[in-house]
Amino acid sequence: MNQIPVQQVGRTLQIEILRHNPYDPASKPRLQTFEVEEADAMTLFIALSEIREQQDPSLQFDFVCRAGICGSCGMIINGRPGLACRTLTRNLPQRITLAPLPAFELIGDLSVNTGKWMRGMSERLETWVHSQGLEGLDLDALEPAMEPELAEQLYELERCIECGCCVAACGTAQMREDFVGAVGLNQITRFRLDPRDERSDAQFYELVGDETGVFGCMTLLGCEDTCPKDLPLATQIAFLRRRMVMAG
Amino acid sequence: MSIKRISGPALSDLLQSLTGLLLVLFVWGHMFFESSILLGKDAMLWVTRMFEGEHIFGQPYPLLVSAVAAAIFALIALHAILALRKFPASAAQYRRFHQHMESMHHADTTLWYVQVVTGFSLFFLASAHVFLVFIQPDNIGPYASSDRIWSGRFWLLYAPLLVCVHLHAGIGIYRLVMKWAPIPAAQTQQVRRRLKIAMWGIIVFFIALGSASLVTYMKIGYDHADRVGERYHGADGRGGV
Ligand code: HEM
Ligand code: SF4
Ligand code: SF4
Ligand code: FES
């Protein structure tokens, strides 16, 4: 009764990792296989930490929160992007292949500079509230309340952790380096929804109304299917497309 | 917000979708007319005469058929030019997409590639077919078409055209809906699943319908191979086509 299932015979996982250090001129990309005894409820994060602690301290990968919040552990897991800290090994076959997210600058092994890409995207799309006369704003005054429903919607879109999975999952982004990706398009819809942002659709059009923006998206829906936060990317992109056609 | 102001990339994207939609509707409608041969030679003769305006004007005007062919050709040209922007632009892009697709094992990504490949094929296959209809509008009919398909070996064009056009049209409509339709986020997965099922159903249906018609034309052409050039005079014995 009420027995917690304990895995009796653990598998020996074979974790194949694409290794490369772009800062070492002698380094060539190569696959290296590590063997790890699978533990109960093991995540890829735990497995990778074990490898680093017990087998190869030079293995590079990123983690901060271990809880799907910081967005730093995105990697290609058996061909598809995902968060390593949110991926249970028991849902994977015994042989697991890991590679760094493509489309981002490689720092080494599984570590990529998503931050740099996201910052570039953010500066280009100006993903912050644009409002006139903020200098004269009385910071002690109570902000006008937002409708709970609207706040809810904003929060939903704000949940993006900028992990880059949607960019790595996007065929368009693979072909066109200047494509802002679902993450960028989603953030535009987020600021468009925000009543504090005074930008008009014409201004948003200037930012995403071209082939590097919403009209570059070919609706492959890789983003929708891989976003670890389950953001409604298909809905948001279709919405933005309709808005931008009207604004164009 | 007026329609007139739509320009640039917004206009290109909208036009690509609109031309695609019109072409799909045309192709699907066209399938039913083309398949009239399944109901017999007289049924197809009736349809042929209808398109030549005979039921309205009292006598056939094949030029009407040429006009429709020209309009379709214009739509295809516009659609292809707009779609060309989406093709992988270099060998490197092509390679990267291929790698990505093979690693992702993701249906919609693969379907896009199917669309590029079938679209590219249609560039030749559809153009050839529409051009033929344009220059020989009077050369369509139960015997004329069957002779062309069998004795003229045009089935070699039509068989691949049939498969390509229906894959391209079915996937295209699915993509159109996902691209533009306001589907609430909570229903996206469900709507998508249903659309996919409908898409495959439609593709299979039209390929089956088209294959049955093509085989019928081939059979009529085979039986008629020693009398190529002779026209079919309907049960009413009037001017044959
Ligand atoms: C003859 C040359 C043709 C070429 C080169 C071509 C090429 C393409 C390509 C590459 C796409 C994908 C574009 C994208 O993902 O944004 C596409 C989309 C589409 N095509 Fe075609 N196509 C052709 C003919 C046709 C025909 C005959 C039909 C109708 C049966 C059709 C219907 C569609 C539809 C509905 C879409 C989706 C539109 C969209 O995504 O906005 N195409 N075409
Ligand atoms: S939209 Fe989703 S996949 Fe893309 S960066 Fe944000 S959380 Fe990651
Ligand atoms: S829907 Fe658009 S943004 Fe998302 S993966 Fe496809 S092309 Fe990229
Ligand atoms: S470690 Fe923060 S999301 Fe995985």
Side-chain angles (χ1 to χ4, degrees):
Chain A
M1 267 187 40
N2 281 345
Q3 281 203 338
I4 298 166
V6 179
Q7 215 165 335
Q8 293 294 335
V9 205
R11 297 185 297 176
T12 301
L13 300 173
Q14 293 194 308
I15 303 186
E16 197 178 31
I17 300 176
L18 182 59
R19 304 210 50 189
H20 179 49
N21 178 1
Y23 298 100
D24 175 4
S27 167
K28 288 220 169 64
R30 66 187 195 287
L31 283 167
Q32 187 177 355
T33 306
F34 296 93
E35 291 198 343
V36 176
E37 291 304 317
E38 186 171 34
D40 220 23
M42 187 182 231
T43 63
L44 276 180
F45 157 70
I46 296 171
L48 285 168
S49 301
E50 247 186 62
I51 294 175
R52 184 152 68 185
E53 274 162 30
Q54 297 166 10
Q55 302 184 37
D56 189 342
S58 74
L59 181 66
Q60 297 185 67
F61 57 90
D62 294 322
F63 286 92
V64 181
C65 71
R66 312 180 319 288
I69 297 165
C70 72
S72 52
C73 67
M75 58 185 68
I76 301 289
I77 305 161
N78 284 345
R80 282 202 190 193
L83 296 181
C85 73
R86 291 279 299 270
T87 304
L88 291 165
T89 54
R90 68 160 172 255
N91 296 332
L92 296 173
Q94 182 250 344
R95 204 178 168 77
I96 301 166
T97 306
L98 302 178
L101 290 182
F104 299 100
E105 184 184 305
L106 184 65
I107 295 171
D109 299 336
L110 300 173
S111 169
V112 291
N113 199 342
T114 44
K116 186 173 164 188
W117 192 97
M118 291 296 165
R119 189 183 172 103
M121 178 276 293
S122 175
E123 283 175 356
R124 194 169 120 213
L125 298 183
E126 304 180 19
T127 52
W128 53 86
V129 168
H130 285 51
S131 184
Q132 298 287 314
L134 282 181
E135 307 78 27
L137 192 71
D138 177 6
L139 291 176
D140 294 328
L142 213 57
E143 251 190 288
M146 201 181 271
E147 286 300 322
E149 207 175 285
L150 180 62
E152 207 50 51
Q153 275 179 298
L154 272 183
Y155 180 69
E156 168 76 3
L157 304 182
E158 186 69 44
R159 281 170 40 244
C160 169
I161 55 175
E162 302 200 342
C163 61
C165 287
C166 57
V167 179
C170 172
T172 309
Q174 300 304 304
M175 292 196 290
R176 293 167 211 273
E177 269 157 30
D178 51 0
F179 182 57
V180 299
V183 53
L185 298 175
N186 174 65
Q187 294 196 7
I188 288 291
T189 64
R190 178 246 173 274
F191 284 99
R192 193 184 169 281
L193 200 61
D194 196 323
R196 294 164 298 187
D197 198 319
E198 292 164 358
R199 282 179 285 183
S200 65
D201 271 356
Q203 283 165 295
F204 286 121
Y205 186 84
E206 291 299 315
L207 298 170
V208 289
D210 65 7
E211 304 287 324
T212 68
V214 71
F215 298 119
C217 162
M218 304 189 294
T219 322
L220 307 174
L221 301 180
C223 54
E224 165 94 8
D225 293 336
T226 49
C227 173
K229 305 303 281 186
D230 288 325
L231 262 73
L233 299 172
T235 305
Q236 293 310 116
I237 296 173
F239 171 78
L240 189 61
R241 190 189 301 277
R242 293 194 302 275
R243 286 288 139 225
M244 290 300 104
V245 160
M246 297 316 284
Chain B
M1 283 249 180
S2 78
I3 299 292
K4 264 178 283 160
R5 272 190 40 220
I6 299 177
S7 62
L11 184 66
S12 309
D13 206 41
L14 189 64
L15 277 182
Q16 189 199 333
S17 290
L18 277 181
T19 50
L21 177 67
L22 288 176
L23 284 169
V24 170
L25 294 179
F26 168 78
V27 166
W28 286 354
H30 163 286
M31 288 312 290
F32 291 106
F33 297 122
E34 186 241 332
S35 303
S36 58
I37 197 72
L38 292 173
L39 300 177
K41 301 191 194 76
D42 289 301
M44 192 218 167
L45 184 63
W46 190 89
V47 170
T48 310
R49 285 172 174 168
M50 177 187 76
F51 278 109
E52 294 179 352
E54 189 175 327
H55 302 302
I56 303 170
F57 305 116
Q59 70 177 90
Y61 289 100
L63 223 55
L64 287 175
V65 175
S66 284
V68 172
I72 296 299
F73 197 81
L75 276 181
I76 290 181
L78 185 57
H79 178 79
I81 289 169
L82 293 170
L84 224 55
R85 301 166 310 148
K86 303 291 173 83
F87 273 67
S90 63
Q93 280 192 3
Y94 177 85
R95 227 180 3 256
R96 228 176 283 158
F97 190 85
H98 233 273
Q99 250 172 15
H100 172 71
M101 178 177 74
E102 280 161 19
S103 126
M104 283 277 287
H105 284 289
H106 175 251
D108 286 33
T109 302
T110 308
L111 285 179
W112 183 79
Y113 190 67
V114 172
Q115 228 183 351
V116 169
V117 172
T118 51
F120 184 73
S121 318
L122 285 175
F123 201 75
F124 305 99
L125 301 173
S127 305
H129 169 55
V130 175
F131 186 66
L132 177 94
V133 174
F134 177 70
I135 56 173
Q136 298 190 358
D138 44 351
N139 214 2
I140 299 171
Y143 281 160
S145 299
S146 301
D147 285 341
R148 178 165 49 239
I149 285 170
W150 181 254
S151 300
R153 300 196 191 109
F154 261 73
W155 62 272
L156 289 170
L157 172 72
Y158 291 145
L161 173 60
L162 177 71
V163 175
C164 285
V165 85
H166 290 299
L167 281 173
H168 193 88
I171 300 170
I173 287 290
Y174 164 74
R175 159 120 5 81
L176 268 184
V177 178
M178 294 312 297
K179 204 168 158 178
W180 295 99
I183 305 168
Q187 286 161 36
T188 302
Q189 290 308 322
Q190 189 193 30
V191 170
R192 236 174 117 192
R193 201 165 40 243
R194 290 184 184 166
L195 278 174
K196 274 268 180 56
I197 295 171
M199 174 188 95
W200 286 118
I202 290 171
I203 291 173
V204 168
F205 168 74
F206 279 117
I207 292 184
L209 184 71
S211 304
S213 311
L214 187 58
V215 167
T216 308
Y217 282 114
M218 286 167 77
K219 195 171 167 320
I220 296 175
Y222 176 80
D223 293 338
H224 195 249
D226 50 352
R227 284 170 289 147
V228 170
E230 179 206 37
R231 296 309 171 85
Y232 182 73
H233 298 269
D236 57 9
R238 286 187 303 134
V241 281

